[in-house]
Amino acid sequence: KAQLRDCVRNVMRGYAASSVCILAFAALEATAFAPSYHGHLSLRGDAVKSGAVRRHSPRMQSDGSDNKQGGVRNLIDLATSSLATLARGPPGGFVSGYSVELSSEEQARSRLVKEYSESLPSIRPKKPLELYEFEACPFCRKVREALSMLDIDTIVYPCPSEGDRYRPKVMEMGGKTQFPYLMDPNTSYQSYESDAIIQYLFQTYGDGIVPLELSLGPVTTLTCGAVSALRPGKGRKARSVGPAPEQVLELWGYESAPPVRLVRETLCELELPYKSITVARGSIKSQELKDTAGKFQVPYLVDPNTGVSMFESADICAYLEETYGSSSSSSSTTTTPSRSEPSSAEAAAPAKEAGGPSWEDAEEDPLDPMNKPPVVVEGSDKGQGPGWDDDVKEEAKDAPVVVEAEIVSDDDKDASSSKP
């Protein structure tokens, strides 16, 4: 019994130490290296470099004053997401077989320590796996943790409650709407059950041994559910408002990072498909992220549809809402009444006030040109500026009405009897 108590105590100490390390890494990435905290633009890419897109951090308003309301909301989100990471612990924060050692003198110039995996095979799947899931599901979280620990990239198709974008597709492929649902195009494997998926992943792309934190049955499910309990209502219900983007987005991060969780929740609620590129501690893709973005910091979003790439969870969520959320929907659907196409009531009102015939009166005597609706001439050049169409309409209104008719002589009446 004493040995068992010591074993449990050592496991809990390691569990707590790993969670603290994850939070320390996340806090360091979110503060010390965050460009928007220093008032700089956090966007990257051709659209920003060319000046087509300029968006300052939501923490700063246009006049440079602190956005207190947004800052408080961001702090609350990060705090609850950090508590969720503590509730679940280290799974998904480190690759399987994680190891660390001091770098050599040459490597120490760029990095003090070297993080790597001792057990992951060098062979990775040629094609990214496809995962249908939603953020708040504890069973989906188990699968995402396994993917992060195995350093496997996945195309995620969010299927939140009341979503109609990818849920019908899952029904067609598997016969029921149950999640998670994994498809591996490299082996044609398909499955619903989370435990079966995790077992398959470690046997196919790992050393065949499922880690203890993913094989505790109800305990694993309970701790995964605690994450959703600390983020109530987030990543659960769909609120998509527009069509899906033509190309899937790219999200660099790992499962247990608190800021990355905030971005995944927004992507899930907006039903935006994305490629999850896992860079947990010890990932071989950490250097690739540094070469691509200039530093190692997560989350990092790349949108090939707009050419925008950016850091910072708050900035990314604001960008997604503006580009694919309700704000983009309202701006695109808001229309102004056309000045060249007045409604029937508007056209009839001036005529009635002046005592002249209205549009309805024109039906009584269609041959009277005074009872016809006003002539409207549409212009093809839309770049002339406001008021140009009005000038054309005034000229068309005063123009005489020309009636063309075909004259047929009495001698040709019989031959043209078929003509109207």
Side-chain angles (χ1 to χ4, degrees):
K1 292 182 179 180
Q3 292 179 353
L4 181 60
R5 282 197 303 268
D6 293 339
C7 181
V8 172
R9 187 180 298 110
N10 292 332
V11 170
M12 295 303 296
R13 287 176 180 174
Y15 189 89
S18 300
S19 301
V20 172
C21 289
I22 293 174
L23 292 179
F25 280 128
L28 185 63
E29 292 165 356
T31 55
F33 305 110
S36 61
Y37 275 85
H38 304 286
H40 300 297
L41 288 175
S42 62
L43 295 179
R44 299 171 59 90
D46 298 336
V48 178
K49 295 177 182 178
S50 63
V53 178
R54 291 188 61 84
R55 181 179 295 103
H56 292 279
S57 168
R59 300 177 181 85
M60 301 294 291
Q61 293 183 354
S62 58
D63 58 354
S65 60
D66 293 335
N67 188 348
K68 295 183 179 180
Q69 184 178 1
V72 171
R73 186 183 302 111
N74 295 335
L75 289 177
I76 294 175
D77 286 338
L78 283 175
T80 55
S81 185
S82 299
L83 290 175
T85 297
L86 284 175
R88 176 57 183 145
F94 301 89
V95 296
S96 180
Y98 173 81
S99 183
V100 59
E101 64 182 20
L102 293 177
S103 302
S104 61
E105 295 182 0
E106 297 180 356
Q107 296 175 341
R109 297 176 182 177
S110 58
R111 206 163 190 175
L112 296 178
V113 296
K114 178 183 178 181
E115 300 174 290
Y116 61 97
S117 172
E118 295 180 340
S119 60
L120 287 182
S122 58
I123 300 177
R124 300 284 84 191
K126 295 182 179 180
K127 298 179 181 179
L129 280 63
E130 299 180 7
L131 179 63
Y132 296 81
E133 54 89 51
F134 62 97
E135 177 65 25
C137 174
F139 303 99
C140 300
R141 181 167 292 107
K142 292 164 56 177
V143 175
R144 293 197 306 267
E145 289 176 351
L147 292 168
S148 185
M149 296 172 70
L150 291 172
D151 204 25
I152 297 177
D153 298 341
T154 313
I155 297 180
V156 178
Y157 296 96
C159 302
S161 174
E162 300 183 9
D164 57 359
R165 185 167 292 172
Y166 301 113
R167 276 181 169 253
K169 185 177 180 180
V170 175
M171 184 67 180
E172 294 177 1
M173 293 185 297
K176 54 183 177 180
T177 54
Q178 177 180 321
F179 305 98
Y181 183 75
L182 181 78
M183 293 181 58
D184 188 349
N186 303 281
T187 61
S188 301
Y189 174 84
Q190 301 181 18
S191 180
Y192 279 106
E193 298 296 331
S194 60
D195 291 337
I197 293 174
I198 293 173
Q199 185 71 30
Y200 163 79
L201 291 174
F202 277 92
Q203 288 180 351
T204 307
Y205 301 108
D207 55 6
I209 302 175
V210 179
L212 178 65
E213 53 267 30
L214 293 178
S215 58
L216 294 178
V219 176
T220 301
T221 305
L222 182 63
T223 53
C224 287
V227 177
S228 301
L230 290 169
R231 298 286 298 163
K234 300 296 184 179
R236 182 180 301 274
K237 186 176 180 181
R239 52 185 180 89
S240 56
V241 293
E246 295 182 0
Q247 304 180 60
V248 297
L249 284 65
E250 293 183 4
L251 179 63
W252 296 70
Y254 53 92
E255 173 61 27
S256 60
V260 180
R261 181 179 293 111
L262 304 180
V263 177
R264 291 199 309 265
E265 290 172 352
T266 303
L267 289 168
C268 179
E269 294 173 0
L270 296 177
E271 294 185 272
L272 298 176
Y274 63 95
K275 182 179 180 180
S276 176
I277 304 178
T278 58
V279 283
R281 312 309 304 191
S283 171
I284 59 177
K285 291 172 287 188
S286 300
Q287 186 62 38
E288 181 182 351
L289 173 59
K290 187 176 181 180
D291 297 338
T292 302
K295 59 182 175 180
F296 182 86
Q297 178 184 330
V298 293
Y300 179 67
L301 181 81
V302 179
D303 188 349
N305 303 281
T306 60
V308 169
S309 55
M310 57 195 306
F311 293 102
E312 284 300 302
S313 59
D315 295 346
I316 294 175
C317 293
Y319 166 77
L320 294 174
E321 293 287 354
E322 183 177 344
T323 308
Y324 302 105
S326 57
S327 57
S328 66
S329 169
S330 59
S331 61
S332 61
T333 57
T334 303
T335 57
T336 57
S338 175
R339 300 177 63 182
S340 60
E341 297 180 2
S343 62
S344 59
E346 294 176 350
K352 289 184 178 180
E353 292 177 0
S358 64
W359 285 46
E360 290 81 1
D361 298 333
E363 298 180 358
E364 299 178 359
D365 189 5
L367 298 180
D368 188 356
M370 295 300 297
N371 290 336
K372 292 185 177 294
V375 180
V376 178
V377 179
E378 294 288 339
S380 60
D381 188 357
K382 300 300 182 182
Q384 300 295 329
W388 181 79
D389 288 342
D390 297 338
D391 297 338
V392 176
K393 281 188 251 183
E394 292 296 333
E395 295 178 5
K397 183 177 180 181
D398 299 333
V401 178
V402 180
V403 179
E404 296 182 358
E406 182 180 2
I407 301 176
V408 183
S409 62
D410 295 336
D411 298 333
D412 298 331
K413 283 184 179 180
D414 297 335
S416 61
S417 59
S418 61
K419 295 182 180 181

